[in-house]
Amino acid sequence: MPLHVPPAPAPALRSVLAALGSPTAVREARTPALRAAQGPLSPELPLPVHVLDRIGPNGLAPATRLAAWRFLIRSSEQAVAAADTMLTPDGWTFSHFFEGPYIASTELAVRQAETVTPHYQPRLLSIPELYMLALWLHSDTEADASGGALAPADLLVPLAPAPPGIAAHHPHRVADLLRVMTLRITPGTGPLLGSPA
């Protein structure tokens, strides 16, 4: 398998396991599929979620920052939800469960990426300005998953649903997709409220 999935921080994993073991946390989650799941639930495929803070024609290099660690929650043969963790002054802690189209889209993009010849470190990249989420295939497989900037050899795979005019599940070189994204953002427009789940 060419993907080098980075290990999640142990406290992040422990916090998700504790939430899955809490009937209250699962029952109160706004995820019908998670509440209805039969049998054991397990957190899998931990991916660091980075946010692209700025893109645009102003000449500034794109800046990314680590915002979360995401785990797909598997029940039997399929992922039924995801869990995000966040960094607090006390360390990584469980944030929330959620479901939606990005769960299956993430699984599909990772499966497709596993067939790519070069080796990559998978990450997720949230682009709030376009309400877009992409699988970020980082070319430095030994990099610390909490840091790093977009590199010319990296690939970005937009997840479905992608913004109009951007093909989902099609790998793009960073520079190529940034050029397309820059054209979609009007000057002076700030980031959209919220970010893709």
Side-chain angles (χ1 to χ4, degrees):
M1 179 173 87
L3 294 184
H4 294 258
V5 179
L13 176 58
R14 282 195 301 269
S15 72
V16 171
L17 288 169
L20 284 173
S22 164
T24 302
V26 171
R27 187 173 54 249
E28 292 179 0
R30 295 182 179 167
T31 56
L34 184 63
R35 289 194 310 267
Q38 299 294 316
L41 298 167
S42 62
E44 297 181 2
L45 191 62
L47 294 173
V49 181
H50 292 257
V51 175
L52 187 63
D53 279 327
R54 61 177 187 263
I55 55 176
N58 55 8
L60 294 172
T64 64
R65 62 181 166 80
L66 180 66
W69 274 86
R70 179 166 297 167
F71 298 79
L72 294 185
I73 306 301
R74 186 166 299 282
S75 172
S76 302
E77 296 299 315
Q78 65 179 4
V80 295
D84 269 5
T85 61
M86 62 183 180
L87 189 59
T88 69
D90 295 323
W92 288 99
T93 186
F94 172 75
S95 174
H96 63 283
F97 291 116
F98 64 94
E99 61 183 83
Y102 287 126
I103 309 286
S105 188
T106 299
E107 275 196 308
L108 175 59
V110 168
R111 279 197 311 270
Q112 290 172 333
E114 288 173 343
T115 65
V116 175
T117 303
H119 295 263
Y120 291 101
Q121 181 190 88
R123 302 170 173 198
L124 291 173
L125 184 65
S126 173
I127 303 106
E129 289 178 291
L130 292 175
Y131 203 76
M132 177 178 161
L133 189 65
L135 179 65
W136 172 9
L137 298 173
H138 192 46
S139 55
D140 183 357
T141 60
E142 302 302 317
D144 180 348
S146 65
L150 292 165
D154 292 355
L155 296 177
L156 294 175
V157 182
L159 300 182
I166 297 177
H169 297 285
H170 178 76
H172 300 268
R173 290 276 173 211
V174 167
D176 296 338
L177 189 57
L178 285 176
R179 192 175 308 111
V180 171
M181 291 190 303
T182 298
L183 295 173
R184 318 242 340 105
I185 296 172
T186 56
T189 302
L192 297 173
L193 295 176
S195 62

mmCIF file of all heavy atoms in Angstrom, residues 167-188:
data_model
loop_
_atom_site.group_PDB
_atom_site.id
_atom_site.type_symbol
_atom_site.label_atom_id
_atom_site.label_comp_id
_atom_site.label_asym_id
_atom_site.label_seq_id
_atom_site.Cartn_x
_atom_site.Cartn_y
_atom_site.Cartn_z
ATOM 1 N N ALA A 167 -13.824 18.840 -10.501
ATOM 2 C CA ALA A 167 -14.181 17.423 -10.563
ATOM 3 C C ALA A 167 -13.793 16.708 -9.271
ATOM 4 O O ALA A 167 -12.646 16.771 -8.840
ATOM 5 C CB ALA A 167 -13.489 16.759 -11.751
ATOM 6 N N ALA A 168 -14.774 16.037 -8.667
ATOM 7 C CA ALA A 168 -14.500 15.243 -7.466
ATOM 8 C C ALA A 168 -13.751 13.970 -7.856
ATOM 9 O O ALA A 168 -13.922 13.438 -8.950
ATOM 10 C CB ALA A 168 -15.804 14.884 -6.771
ATOM 11 N N HIS A 169 -12.903 13.528 -6.961
ATOM 12 C CA HIS A 169 -12.148 12.275 -7.096
ATOM 13 C C HIS A 169 -11.192 12.264 -8.284
ATOM 14 O O HIS A 169 -10.820 11.213 -8.769
ATOM 15 C CB HIS A 169 -13.089 11.062 -7.118
ATOM 16 C CG HIS A 169 -13.845 10.933 -5.849
ATOM 17 N ND1 HIS A 169 -13.273 10.471 -4.694
ATOM 18 C CD2 HIS A 169 -15.119 11.250 -5.537
ATOM 19 C CE1 HIS A 169 -14.169 10.500 -3.721
ATOM 20 N NE2 HIS A 169 -15.288 10.975 -4.203
ATOM 21 N N HIS A 170 -10.785 13.437 -8.707
ATOM 22 C CA HIS A 170 -9.776 13.557 -9.763
ATOM 23 C C HIS A 170 -8.537 14.193 -9.139
ATOM 24 O O HIS A 170 -8.613 15.310 -8.619
ATOM 25 C CB HIS A 170 -10.302 14.428 -10.909
ATOM 26 C CG HIS A 170 -9.304 14.624 -12.002
ATOM 27 N ND1 HIS A 170 -9.011 13.646 -12.923
ATOM 28 C CD2 HIS A 170 -8.514 15.681 -12.286
ATOM 29 C CE1 HIS A 170 -8.078 14.104 -13.737
ATOM 30 N NE2 HIS A 170 -7.767 15.333 -13.381
ATOM 31 N N PRO A 171 -7.383 13.500 -9.144
ATOM 32 C CA PRO A 171 -6.190 14.073 -8.528
ATOM 33 C C PRO A 171 -5.645 15.247 -9.331
ATOM 34 O O PRO A 171 -5.604 15.205 -10.563
ATOM 35 C CB PRO A 171 -5.192 12.909 -8.502
ATOM 36 C CG PRO A 171 -5.704 11.909 -9.474
ATOM 37 C CD PRO A 171 -7.163 12.150 -9.658
ATOM 38 N N HIS A 172 -5.262 16.292 -8.594
ATOM 39 C CA HIS A 172 -4.713 17.510 -9.200
ATOM 40 C C HIS A 172 -3.375 17.828 -8.534
ATOM 41 O O HIS A 172 -3.242 17.681 -7.318
ATOM 42 C CB HIS A 172 -5.631 18.721 -8.951
ATOM 43 C CG HIS A 172 -7.006 18.580 -9.496
ATOM 44 N ND1 HIS A 172 -7.353 19.018 -10.746
ATOM 45 C CD2 HIS A 172 -8.132 18.057 -8.955
ATOM 46 C CE1 HIS A 172 -8.645 18.776 -10.950
ATOM 47 N NE2 HIS A 172 -9.136 18.193 -9.882
ATOM 48 N N ARG A 173 -2.424 18.301 -9.299
ATOM 49 C CA ARG A 173 -1.217 18.882 -8.710
ATOM 50 C C ARG A 173 -1.650 20.122 -7.935
ATOM 51 O O ARG A 173 -2.607 20.813 -8.319
ATOM 52 C CB ARG A 173 -0.207 19.280 -9.790
ATOM 53 C CG ARG A 173 0.419 18.101 -10.468
ATOM 54 C CD ARG A 173 1.589 17.602 -9.656
ATOM 55 N NE ARG A 173 2.094 16.364 -10.229
ATOM 56 C CZ ARG A 173 2.642 15.412 -9.526
ATOM 57 N NH1 ARG A 173 2.769 15.539 -8.230
ATOM 58 N NH2 ARG A 173 3.083 14.326 -10.102
ATOM 59 N N VAL A 174 -0.951 20.410 -6.849
ATOM 60 C CA VAL A 174 -1.324 21.532 -5.988
ATOM 61 C C VAL A 174 -1.455 22.830 -6.787
ATOM 62 O O VAL A 174 -2.468 23.530 -6.684
ATOM 63 C CB VAL A 174 -0.298 21.690 -4.842
ATOM 64 C CG1 VAL A 174 -0.461 23.016 -4.127
ATOM 65 C CG2 VAL A 174 -0.448 20.545 -3.853
ATOM 66 N N ALA A 175 -0.442 23.168 -7.577
ATOM 67 C CA ALA A 175 -0.464 24.440 -8.311
ATOM 68 C C ALA A 175 -1.659 24.522 -9.259
ATOM 69 O O ALA A 175 -2.283 25.579 -9.391
ATOM 70 C CB ALA A 175 0.838 24.624 -9.088
ATOM 71 N N ASP A 176 -1.999 23.405 -9.897
ATOM 72 C CA ASP A 176 -3.114 23.405 -10.842
ATOM 73 C C ASP A 176 -4.436 23.664 -10.141
ATOM 74 O O ASP A 176 -5.257 24.465 -10.604
ATOM 75 C CB ASP A 176 -3.174 22.080 -11.605
ATOM 76 C CG ASP A 176 -1.948 21.851 -12.485
ATOM 77 O OD1 ASP A 176 -1.266 22.843 -12.830
ATOM 78 O OD2 ASP A 176 -1.669 20.680 -12.807
ATOM 79 N N LEU A 177 -4.667 22.965 -9.008
ATOM 80 C CA LEU A 177 -5.943 23.150 -8.310
ATOM 81 C C LEU A 177 -6.005 24.517 -7.636
ATOM 82 O O LEU A 177 -7.066 25.145 -7.626
ATOM 83 C CB LEU A 177 -6.183 22.025 -7.297
ATOM 84 C CG LEU A 177 -7.583 22.012 -6.673
ATOM 85 C CD1 LEU A 177 -8.676 21.915 -7.743
ATOM 86 C CD2 LEU A 177 -7.722 20.865 -5.677
ATOM 87 N N LEU A 178 -4.887 25.006 -7.108
ATOM 88 C CA LEU A 178 -4.887 26.342 -6.502
ATOM 89 C C LEU A 178 -5.248 27.397 -7.536
ATOM 90 O O LEU A 178 -5.975 28.347 -7.236
ATOM 91 C CB LEU A 178 -3.523 26.656 -5.878
ATOM 92 C CG LEU A 178 -3.215 25.958 -4.562
ATOM 93 C CD1 LEU A 178 -1.803 26.287 -4.102
ATOM 94 C CD2 LEU A 178 -4.227 26.334 -3.489
ATOM 95 N N ARG A 179 -4.773 27.223 -8.753
ATOM 96 C CA ARG A 179 -5.095 28.174 -9.829
ATOM 97 C C ARG A 179 -6.612 28.181 -10.071
ATOM 98 O O ARG A 179 -7.231 29.245 -10.186
ATOM 99 C CB ARG A 179 -4.347 27.800 -11.105
ATOM 100 C CG ARG A 179 -4.368 28.844 -12.185
ATOM 101 C CD ARG A 179 -3.505 28.461 -13.394
ATOM 102 N NE ARG A 179 -2.136 28.095 -13.028
ATOM 103 C CZ ARG A 179 -1.641 26.848 -13.114
ATOM 104 N NH1 ARG A 179 -2.378 25.859 -13.560
ATOM 105 N NH2 ARG A 179 -0.394 26.600 -12.768
ATOM 106 N N VAL A 180 -7.203 27.006 -10.141
ATOM 107 C CA VAL A 180 -8.655 26.905 -10.361
ATOM 108 C C VAL A 180 -9.410 27.497 -9.178
ATOM 109 O O VAL A 180 -10.373 28.251 -9.356
ATOM 110 C CB VAL A 180 -9.066 25.427 -10.588
ATOM 111 C CG1 VAL A 180 -10.580 25.280 -10.605
ATOM 112 C CG2 VAL A 180 -8.465 24.906 -11.879
ATOM 113 N N MET A 181 -8.974 27.180 -7.953
ATOM 114 C CA MET A 181 -9.665 27.687 -6.768
ATOM 115 C C MET A 181 -9.564 29.206 -6.680
ATOM 116 O O MET A 181 -10.526 29.877 -6.302
ATOM 117 C CB MET A 181 -9.102 27.028 -5.504
ATOM 118 C CG MET A 181 -9.454 25.555 -5.394
ATOM 119 S SD MET A 181 -9.047 24.798 -3.795
ATOM 120 C CE MET A 181 -7.298 25.095 -3.645
ATOM 121 N N THR A 182 -8.399 29.753 -7.050
ATOM 122 C CA THR A 182 -8.209 31.204 -7.010
ATOM 123 C C THR A 182 -9.213 31.903 -7.930
ATOM 124 O O THR A 182 -9.771 32.943 -7.578
ATOM 125 C CB THR A 182 -6.770 31.563 -7.427
ATOM 126 O OG1 THR A 182 -5.873 30.970 -6.498
ATOM 127 C CG2 THR A 182 -6.558 33.058 -7.444
ATOM 128 N N LEU A 183 -9.485 31.322 -9.078
ATOM 129 C CA LEU A 183 -10.438 31.908 -10.017
ATOM 130 C C LEU A 183 -11.869 31.875 -9.483
ATOM 131 O O LEU A 183 -12.704 32.675 -9.903
ATOM 132 C CB LEU A 183 -10.375 31.179 -11.356
ATOM 133 C CG LEU A 183 -9.059 31.296 -12.119
ATOM 134 C CD1 LEU A 183 -9.064 30.392 -13.350
ATOM 135 C CD2 LEU A 183 -8.793 32.749 -12.508
ATOM 136 N N ARG A 184 -12.147 30.950 -8.576
ATOM 137 C CA ARG A 184 -13.512 30.804 -8.060
ATOM 138 C C ARG A 184 -13.804 31.738 -6.898
ATOM 139 O O ARG A 184 -14.943 31.880 -6.487
ATOM 140 C CB ARG A 184 -13.776 29.371 -7.593
ATOM 141 C CG ARG A 184 -13.220 28.367 -8.521
ATOM 142 C CD ARG A 184 -13.985 27.363 -9.257
ATOM 143 N NE ARG A 184 -15.252 26.865 -9.008
ATOM 144 C CZ ARG A 184 -16.323 27.212 -9.730
ATOM 145 N NH1 ARG A 184 -16.261 28.136 -10.613
ATOM 146 N NH2 ARG A 184 -17.455 26.619 -9.547
ATOM 147 N N ILE A 185 -12.747 32.348 -6.348
ATOM 148 C CA ILE A 185 -12.924 33.237 -5.202
ATOM 149 C C ILE A 185 -12.835 34.669 -5.688
ATOM 150 O O ILE A 185 -11.863 35.065 -6.310
ATOM 151 C CB ILE A 185 -11.847 32.966 -4.128
ATOM 152 C CG1 ILE A 185 -12.015 31.547 -3.589
ATOM 153 C CG2 ILE A 185 -11.955 33.978 -3.001
ATOM 154 C CD1 ILE A 185 -10.907 31.129 -2.677
ATOM 155 N N THR A 186 -13.863 35.451 -5.402
ATOM 156 C CA THR A 186 -13.858 36.844 -5.829
ATOM 157 C C THR A 186 -13.019 37.664 -4.853
ATOM 158 O O THR A 186 -13.061 37.430 -3.645
ATOM 159 C CB THR A 186 -15.292 37.402 -5.891
ATOM 160 O OG1 THR A 186 -15.908 37.226 -4.614
ATOM 161 C CG2 THR A 186 -16.106 36.702 -6.949
ATOM 162 N N PRO A 187 -12.253 38.637 -5.349
ATOM 163 C CA PRO A 187 -11.428 39.465 -4.467
ATOM 164 C C PRO A 187 -12.293 40.144 -3.410
ATOM 165 O O PRO A 187 -13.404 40.590 -3.683
ATOM 166 C CB PRO A 187 -10.805 40.495 -5.406
ATOM 167 C CG PRO A 187 -10.859 39.858 -6.759
ATOM 168 C CD PRO A 187 -12.092 38.993 -6.752
ATOM 169 N N GLY A 188 -11.751 40.185 -2.187
ATOM 170 C CA GLY A 188 -12.459 40.845 -1.098
ATOM 171 C C GLY A 188 -13.451 39.954 -0.386
ATOM 172 O O GLY A 188 -14.055 40.364 0.591
#
